[in-house]
């Protein structure tokens, strides 16, 4: 029985082996090869020690082949550049003569201009994006060297997209003549400083050029992200030969910075613009004010491509019925400034939302992001976006352009204020187009000038390069924060604070406004003084909602103070960044320190302000009354009226005079307290600048920041020719009055000392108020004396001029000749 089972199993195994041999005829060869390798391994030598050696030899051959290929390309490029330099005749191929021309003008023209342009962009980029191992980095030197890129090494070709012709050309820039020096402050764990030298650069890609506006401009961009390689060295002091591994990750970071910069500015669909104006006014634009109106969108949907749309989709009414549940809004972005439209339903929504945006350079990128808003949800879904670029042209015009597939949409505004309308397709797979109106209201220039709403011949004065801008710090900048508009009334938690205030930073100077009552349109009317800083320093403003524990930031803004001209103040509305709404009104003025001493030449006239009475003021005391007085602020000058105790309808009948220098005039009504902090009963601004001279205006002005209250004033702008002629008796009476006030103040100080010794708080409060009144009276007399002194000097000058004119007249000359 056992033999039968054994023979049966052997025959079955043989049958299975025969079947396997039939299916796998190479199996015996593999088995024989395995046995041979096993025999050599066992009886002759160990093969496992030779496998890494064989792999290393193979890798070395591959690396040598790759290096030979790179060396061959470099030699070909250098040989081509040598031919371009030494060739006496211009080659017939158009790419070769183009490269030869570029080589001739690179070192002294194009290279220098591109070095300045790229150094500015790289420096701004490095400040915002640096690795964690570097705390601070500074660009100290930037030069692109003398070796230009090679264009169209494999030829050029033209293509057509609709009516638009497009030039395609290769771009290959491989240079070791570049010199870029960075000084980096290293953080933990390395610490210390390091000098980073960029000594080689490789950028390779495909360019396209699109002529637009009948040849007035050229749009150019890379078709895809170019290949970027950067060679760097490190050192400290004078050594620059340490390997790049001294600061790990820096080479990759620099490659990413350059790549991101190219992608953001000139990789499809983003394109740069080269303007070719017929007239060059040689003005440098440093900022501008742009009006953006988001009109409507058409044919938008959730992820349907325009190429897949049916003909029925062209009917906006049918689309609106199909996508009635689609609720969308548009977010407009310009750098860190953003604004949102309202939410509208349907696939053809209409917003008609207008925003004022601020440009901080001669170019800007407007991005329009389309979002879908789901009812009952706080989350909004991003659908698609589109971009429009803005650029100032040297002939005082403005170019707007956007991508439309392979072609381009371009418009030109010949002067500021001209409205243009553009219909821009959305990017990505989503369908639809966006209708927009754009108007560049104003361009601001580094010489202090600015464009107006109509073209003026006066702008040609900058052709000779004259500039009124003072780059030194010998001037003062006066910034008045007047009011706000449409500020966020609640913080991100939905809570309302007790008030709103703003912080201003200019260089090392930091100022803070008072806290205005909580409202979306607060008023401050506060003036601040800063020392002027050269180099294009920005004025940074941040708005806060005052809360019990920590204040909430509700927006910020940047103001370019470059190019301010003395005697030409600016009244501007600045939109807040990083929020959806909000603007600040600022009054900005630059003056020399010698010119702004608070007492102008009396020949300009003076302001006569009479504070008559107040009516229906709020009660600041617990007893339902107030002790009101008025603190008058005129520029840097401050005056006070007398205090009227325990009344809500005070009668002051006090007249004050100020030199007419155009400064803001603000009236602050206060509740007098001897020991406790004084509370505000309201304030107001007197707009007197446009009043005609020598006419008295009687006005009731409502107080701001409170529920009720008015103040009655009379104000007159006195002309210089109506000034009184001073006499010696008047001057002597002023001197006597000053002497009497000094004696009264001395007696008051003695009285205060006795009241302090007797601990008489009520008498002390009354005496302190009397002392303040005496001090204010003394200031008034000082101002009157200064005015009288100026008038006397003016009269002396007039008399001297009359004597000189009379002595030089012909009659007097004749008399002099006949005198014996």
């Amino acid at each position: 029985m056992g033999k039968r089972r054994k023979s049966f199993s052997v025959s079955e195994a043989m049958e299975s082996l025969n079947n396997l041999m039939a299916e796998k005829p190479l199996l015996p060869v593999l088995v024989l090869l395995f046995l041979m390798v096993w025999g050599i391994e066992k009886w002759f030598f160990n093969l496992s020690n030779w496998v890494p050696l064989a792999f290393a030899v193979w890798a070395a051959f591959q690396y040598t082949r790759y290096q030979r290929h790179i060396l061959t390309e470099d030699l070909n490029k250098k040989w081509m550049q040598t031919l371009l330099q030494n060739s006496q005749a211009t080659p017939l191929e158009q790419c070769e003569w183009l490269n030869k021309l570029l080589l001739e003008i690179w070192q002294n023209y194009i290279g220098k201009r591109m070095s300045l342009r790229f150094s500015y962009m790289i420096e701004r980029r490095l400040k915002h994006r640096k690795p964690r191992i570097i705390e601070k980095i500074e660009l100290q030197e930037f030069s692109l060297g003398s070796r230009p890129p090679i264009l169209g090494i494999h030829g050029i070709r033209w293509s057509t997209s609709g009516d638009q012709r497009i030039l395609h050309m290769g771009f290959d820039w491989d240079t070791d003549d570049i010199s870029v020096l960075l000084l980096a402050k290293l953080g933990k764990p390395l610490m210390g400083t390091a000098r980073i030298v960029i000594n080689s650069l490789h950028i390779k890609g495909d360019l396209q050029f699109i002529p637009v506006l009948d040849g007035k401009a050229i749009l150019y961009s890379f078709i895809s992200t170019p290949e970027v390689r950067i060679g760097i060295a490190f050192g400290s002091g004078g050594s620059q030969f340490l390997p790049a591994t001294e600061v790990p990750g820096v080479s990759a970071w620099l490659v990413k910075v350059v790549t991101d910069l190219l992608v953001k500015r000139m990789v499809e669909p983003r394109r740069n613009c080269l303007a070719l104006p017929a007239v060059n006014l040689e003005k440098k634009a440093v900022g501008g004010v742009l009006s953006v109106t988001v009109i409507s969108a058409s044919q938008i949907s959730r992820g349907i491509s325009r190429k897949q749309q049916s003909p029925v989709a062209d009917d906006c009414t049918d689309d609106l019925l199909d996508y009635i549940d689609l609720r969308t809004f548009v977010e407009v972005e310009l750098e860190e400034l953003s604004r949102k439209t309202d939410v509208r339903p349907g696939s053809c929504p209409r917003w008609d939302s207008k925003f004022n945006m601020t440009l901080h350079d001669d170019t800007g990128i407007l991005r329009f992001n389309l979002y879908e808003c789901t009812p009952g949800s706080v989350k909004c879904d991003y659908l698609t976006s589109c971009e429009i670029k803005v650029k100032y042209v040297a002939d005082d015009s403005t170019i707007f352009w956007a991508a439309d597939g392979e072609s381009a949409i371009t418009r030109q505004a010949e002067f500021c204020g001209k409205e243009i309308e553009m219909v821009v397709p959305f990017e990505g797979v989503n369908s639809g187009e966006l209708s927009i109106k754009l108007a560049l209201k104003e361009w601001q220039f580094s010489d202090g000038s600015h464009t107006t709403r109509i073209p003026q011949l006066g702008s040609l004065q900058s052709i000779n390069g004259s500039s009124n801008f003072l780059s030194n710090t010998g001037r003062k900048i006066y910034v008045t924060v007047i009011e706000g508009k449409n500020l966020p009334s609640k913080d991100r938690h939905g809570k309302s604070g007790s008030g709103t205030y703003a912080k201003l930073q200019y260089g090392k100077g930091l100022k803070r406004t008072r806290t205005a009552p909580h409202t979306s349109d607060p008023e401050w009317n506060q003036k601040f003084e800063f020392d002027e800083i050269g180099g294009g320093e920005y004025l940074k403003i941040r708005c806060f909602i005052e809360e019990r524990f920590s204040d909430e930031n509700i927006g910020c803004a940047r103001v370019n103070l470059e190019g301010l001209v003395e005697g030409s103040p600016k009244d501007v509305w600045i939109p807040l960044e990083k929020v959806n709404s909000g603007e600040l009104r600022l009054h900005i003025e630059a003056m020399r320190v010698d010119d702004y001493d608070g007492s102008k030449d009396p020949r300009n006239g003076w302001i006569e302000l009479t504070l008559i009475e107040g009516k229906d003021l709020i009660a600041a005391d617990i007893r339902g009354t107030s002790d009101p007085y008025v603190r008058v602020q005129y520029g840097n000058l401050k005056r006070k009226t007398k205090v009227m105790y325990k009344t809500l309808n005070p009668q002051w009948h006090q007249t004050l005079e100020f030199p007419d220098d155009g400064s803001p005039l603000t009236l602050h009504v206060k509740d007098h307290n001897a020991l406790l902090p004084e509370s505000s009963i309201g304030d107001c601004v007197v707009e007197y600048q446009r009043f005609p001279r020598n006419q008295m205006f009687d006005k009731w002005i409502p107080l701001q920041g409170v529920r009720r209250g008015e103040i009655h004033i009379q104000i007159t702008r006195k002309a210089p020719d109506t000034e009184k002629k001073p006499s010696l008796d008047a001057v002597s009476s002023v001197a006597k009055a000053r002497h009497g006030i000094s004696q009264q103040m001395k007696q008051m100080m003695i009285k205060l000392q006795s009241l302090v010794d007797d601990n008489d708080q009520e008498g002390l409060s009354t005496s302190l108020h009397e002392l303040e009144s005496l001090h204010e009276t003394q200031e008034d007399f000082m101002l009157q004396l200064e005015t009288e002194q100026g008038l006397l000097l003016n009269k002396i000058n007039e008399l001297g001029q009359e004597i000189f004119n009379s002595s030089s007249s012909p009659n007097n000359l004749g008399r002099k000749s006949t005198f014996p």
Side-chain angles (χ1 to χ4, degrees):
M1 293 294 292
K3 292 182 179 179
R4 288 182 180 179
R5 290 178 181 175
K6 185 175 181 180
S7 60
F8 176 76
S9 60
V10 170
S11 61
E12 187 177 357
M14 292 300 295
E15 184 179 357
S16 300
L17 182 61
N18 292 331
N19 294 333
L20 182 62
M21 293 291 294
E23 294 177 0
K24 305 291 184 180
L26 296 179
L27 183 61
V29 179
L30 294 176
V31 173
L32 182 60
L33 182 61
F34 175 76
L35 293 176
M36 291 177 60
V37 172
W38 177 77
I40 294 173
E41 172 79 12
K42 187 172 182 62
W43 287 296
F44 293 96
F45 53 86
N46 192 0
L47 289 177
S48 59
N49 296 331
W50 291 85
V51 172
L53 180 61
F55 180 79
V57 172
W58 175 82
F61 276 104
Q62 294 295 326
Y63 180 76
T64 304
R65 183 179 178 183
Y66 172 77
Q67 288 294 330
R68 185 179 300 172
H69 177 69
I70 296 295
L71 182 61
T72 303
E73 287 188 353
D74 292 339
L75 290 175
N76 289 334
K77 294 174 184 177
K78 292 180 180 179
W79 177 248
M80 180 173 293
Q81 291 182 350
T82 303
L83 288 178
L84 290 174
Q85 291 176 352
N86 300 326
S87 177
Q88 299 298 327
T90 303
L92 297 178
E93 291 80 0
Q94 50 187 341
C95 294
E96 293 188 10
W97 71 255
L98 177 61
N99 287 311
K100 185 174 179 64
L101 177 63
L102 182 61
L103 183 64
E104 293 295 331
I105 63 177
W106 174 266
Q107 187 170 359
N108 295 322
Y109 182 69
I110 296 182
K112 291 183 177 180
R113 292 177 64 92
M114 290 187 65
S115 295
L116 292 175
R117 182 65 177 173
F118 277 100
S119 64
Y120 173 71
M121 293 189 296
I122 292 294
E123 189 172 13
R124 292 181 59 185
R125 197 72 175 175
L126 290 177
K127 290 181 179 179
H128 298 286
R129 300 194 59 179
K130 56 180 180 292
R132 296 180 180 179
I133 201 170
I134 296 179
E135 291 185 0
K136 185 179 180 180
I137 190 165
E138 180 181 352
L139 181 63
Q140 292 190 331
E141 180 184 344
F142 193 96
S143 175
L144 296 178
S146 59
R147 185 178 298 175
I150 298 177
L151 302 177
I153 191 172
H154 299 298
I156 62 174
R157 65 181 180 89
W158 286 90
S159 64
T160 304
S161 177
D163 297 333
Q164 191 72 61
R165 289 179 57 82
I166 304 173
L167 173 66
H168 299 267
M169 178 185 298
F171 180 91
D172 195 342
W173 194 7
D174 196 348
T175 175
D176 55 4
D177 193 29
I178 188 173
S179 177
V180 180
L181 177 60
L182 303 171
L183 181 62
K185 181 181 178 181
L186 305 180
K188 295 180 180 180
L190 297 178
M191 304 301 291
T193 59
R195 300 175 69 185
I196 305 173
V197 177
I198 301 178
N199 48 30
S200 65
L201 177 66
H202 172 81
I203 301 177
K204 185 176 181 180
D206 294 321
L207 284 174
Q208 69 175 14
F209 297 87
I210 306 176
V212 294
L213 299 174
D214 297 329
K216 295 180 181 179
I218 297 176
L219 302 182
Y220 59 95
S221 62
F222 282 103
I223 299 176
S224 59
T225 304
E227 175 188 350
V228 178
R229 292 200 306 266
I230 296 178
I232 62 175
F234 293 88
S236 58
S239 174
Q240 298 298 332
F241 302 102
L242 299 181
T245 54
E246 289 291 325
V247 183
V250 173
S251 179
W253 163 66
L254 288 174
V255 170
K256 183 172 178 59
V257 168
V258 175
T259 304
D260 290 347
L261 181 63
L262 293 174
V263 169
K264 184 179 179 181
R265 299 184 68 89
M266 52 179 302
V267 174
E268 282 294 310
R270 298 169 178 85
R271 299 164 181 167
N272 269 0
C273 178
L274 174 62
L276 303 172
V279 178
N280 190 351
L281 300 181
E282 298 183 2
K283 295 194 294 186
K284 178 185 177 184
V286 296
V289 180
L290 178 64
S291 174
V292 181
T293 304
V294 183
I295 303 175
S296 62
S298 62
Q299 304 175 9
I300 60 174
S301 60
R302 300 185 183 95
I304 300 178
S305 174
R306 283 195 297 169
K307 296 180 179 180
Q308 297 174 354
Q309 276 188 329
S310 61
V312 183
D314 293 335
D315 189 357
C316 189
T317 305
D318 296 340
D319 259 358
L320 187 61
L321 295 176
D322 293 340
Y323 296 98
I324 192 65
D325 60 331
L326 186 65
R327 298 172 57 84
T328 55
F329 68 91
V330 176
E331 179 186 45
V332 186
E333 291 183 352
L334 179 61
E335 294 185 0
E336 295 183 354
L337 178 61
S338 63
R339 291 292 182 266
K340 293 181 181 179
T341 66
D342 298 329
V343 179
R344 293 289 185 267
S347 63
C348 296
R350 188 174 185 89
W351 295 283
D352 291 321
S353 299
K354 188 174 184 179
F355 310 105
N356 287 327
M357 316 293 282
T358 303
L359 290 164
H360 298 292
D361 203 348
D362 61 347
T363 58
I365 302 176
L366 278 169
R367 187 169 183 85
F368 301 87
N369 301 314
L370 182 66
Y371 290 89
E372 180 183 4
C373 185
T374 304
S377 175
V378 296
K379 183 180 179 181
C380 299
D381 297 327
Y382 171 81
L383 295 180
T384 184
S385 63
C386 61
E387 283 186 358
I388 296 179
K389 284 191 175 183
V390 186
K391 182 180 177 64
Y392 171 76
V393 186
D395 61 355
D396 235 8
S397 62
T398 307
I399 291 181
F400 305 86
W401 72 93
D404 184 11
E406 294 185 356
S407 60
I409 304 172
T410 55
R411 300 289 187 273
Q412 184 176 21
E414 289 77 11
F415 53 88
C416 285
K418 179 181 178 180
E419 274 194 345
I420 63 166
E421 187 169 349
M422 299 180 70
V423 180
V424 182
F426 284 112
E427 300 174 1
V429 298
N430 286 18
S431 63
E433 296 175 331
L434 185 65
S435 299
I436 306 158
K437 276 186 180 180
L438 301 170
L440 205 294
K441 292 184 175 181
E442 179 183 273
W443 280 114
Q444 302 162 2
F445 304 101
S446 59
D447 62 353
S449 61
H450 62 275
T451 54
T452 54
R453 294 183 61 86
I454 58 175
Q456 293 184 351
L457 297 177
S459 61
L460 296 175
Q461 63 184 4
S462 299
I463 293 180
N464 297 327
S466 61
S467 176
N468 296 325
F469 176 64
L470 302 177
S471 58
N472 58 8
T473 58
R475 302 192 303 178
K476 295 286 186 180
I477 303 294
Y478 297 93
V479 181
T480 303
V481 184
I482 302 176
E483 59 181 325
K485 183 172 67 175
N486 297 328
L487 300 186
S489 57
K490 297 182 180 181
D491 60 11
R492 62 174 179 268
H493 303 293
K495 298 181 180 179
S496 300
S498 59
T500 307
Y501 67 92
K503 287 184 178 180
L504 291 80
Q505 182 179 1
Y506 181 66
K508 296 183 179 179
L510 184 62
K511 308 291 184 179
R512 183 189 187 278
T513 67
R514 62 180 176 84
T515 302
H518 175 66
T519 175
S520 60
D521 301 324
E523 294 186 3
W524 292 285
N525 293 300
Q526 282 188 269
K527 190 171 186 177
F528 303 99
E529 175 185 313
F530 299 95
D531 293 325
E532 186 185 41
I533 302 174
E537 183 73 16
Y538 283 92
L539 171 67
K540 303 177 181 66
I541 306 175
R542 292 180 296 169
C543 289
F544 294 88
I545 293 180
E546 191 173 61
E547 297 180 348
R548 178 173 299 178
F549 298 105
S550 63
D551 298 343
E552 179 74 19
N553 188 351
I554 57 172
C556 60
R558 293 180 298 163
V559 184
N560 193 338
L561 300 183
E562 187 177 2
L564 291 176
V565 178
E566 298 173 16
S568 299
K570 298 171 60 177
D571 194 300
V572 293
W573 283 94
I574 305 298
L576 294 180
E577 301 176 355
K578 300 181 180 179
V579 289
N580 297 328
S581 64
E583 293 179 279
L584 292 179
R585 183 185 175 190
L586 304 179
H587 182 87
I588 306 172
E589 186 176 8
M591 285 191 177
R592 288 189 178 275
V593 179
D594 298 336
D595 297 338
Y596 203 87
D597 56 358
S599 58
K600 294 289 180 177
D601 192 341
R603 288 175 291 181
N604 295 333
W606 74 91
I607 303 296
E608 185 179 89
L609 174 66
T610 302
L611 299 162
I612 301 176
E613 59 181 326
K615 182 176 67 176
D616 197 21
L617 303 182
I618 64 172
D621 297 336
I622 303 177
R623 296 165 295 184
T625 60
S626 296
D627 302 327
Y629 73 95
V630 181
R631 188 185 71 191
V632 183
Q633 182 170 356
Y634 182 78
N636 288 341
L637 300 178
K638 295 181 181 179
R639 298 289 184 269
K640 291 182 181 179
T641 67
K642 57 187 176 182
V643 178
M644 307 303 297
Y645 291 97
K646 299 180 181 180
T647 178
L648 300 180
N649 300 288
Q651 302 280 335
W652 293 292
H653 296 284
Q654 191 167 346
T655 301
L656 305 175
E657 293 182 353
F658 302 95
D660 190 359
D661 58 3
S663 299
L665 177 58
T666 308
L667 308 181
H668 302 276
V669 184
K670 300 285 186 179
D671 176 57
H672 174 73
N673 287 313
L675 301 177
L676 299 177
E678 296 180 344
S679 57
S680 175
I681 308 180
D683 50 53
C684 62
V685 178
V686 182
E687 301 289 347
Y688 68 92
Q689 288 86 352
R690 297 185 179 181
F691 290 170
R693 292 188 180 273
N694 298 329
Q695 293 187 21
M696 190 268 291
F697 289 86
D698 191 292
K699 301 181 65 176
W700 279 94
I701 304 178
L703 297 177
Q704 304 294 325
V706 290
R707 297 188 302 273
R708 64 178 187 272
E710 294 178 286
I711 186 170
H712 184 197
I713 67 167
Q714 291 178 351
I715 185 169
T716 307
R717 294 185 66 194
K718 296 288 187 178
D721 55 357
T722 61
E723 295 170 344
K724 299 179 181 179
K725 298 181 179 181
S727 63
L728 294 178
D729 295 337
V731 176
S732 62
S733 63
V734 172
K736 291 179 181 179
R738 287 182 58 196
H739 179 71
I741 292 173
S742 300
Q743 294 295 330
Q744 292 180 22
M745 292 186 69
K746 291 180 181 179
Q747 296 176 3
M748 187 61 63
M749 295 300 296
I750 298 174
K751 182 180 179 181
L752 285 173
Q753 184 65 36
S754 63
L755 291 174
V756 171
D757 296 338
D758 297 339
N759 198 16
D760 187 357
Q761 295 184 358
E762 184 176 355
L764 186 63
S765 174
T766 305
S767 299
L768 285 174
H769 173 62
E770 293 177 358
L771 183 63
E772 290 179 359
S773 301
L774 285 175
H775 179 67
E776 294 165 5
T777 306
Q778 186 182 27
E779 290 184 349
D780 292 338
F781 276 111
M782 289 292 294
L783 179 62
Q784 184 178 356
L785 181 61
E786 292 174 359
T787 305
E788 298 289 348
Q789 182 182 5
L791 294 175
L792 283 173
L793 293 175
N794 185 26
K795 188 61 178 178
I796 291 172
N797 292 332
E798 292 177 358
L799 290 175
Q801 186 67 30
E802 291 178 2
I803 293 173
F804 177 77
N805 293 336
S806 62
S807 63
S808 60
S809 62
N811 295 332
N812 291 339
L813 291 175
R815 292 176 182 177
K816 184 176 180 180
S817 63
T818 59
F819 192 79

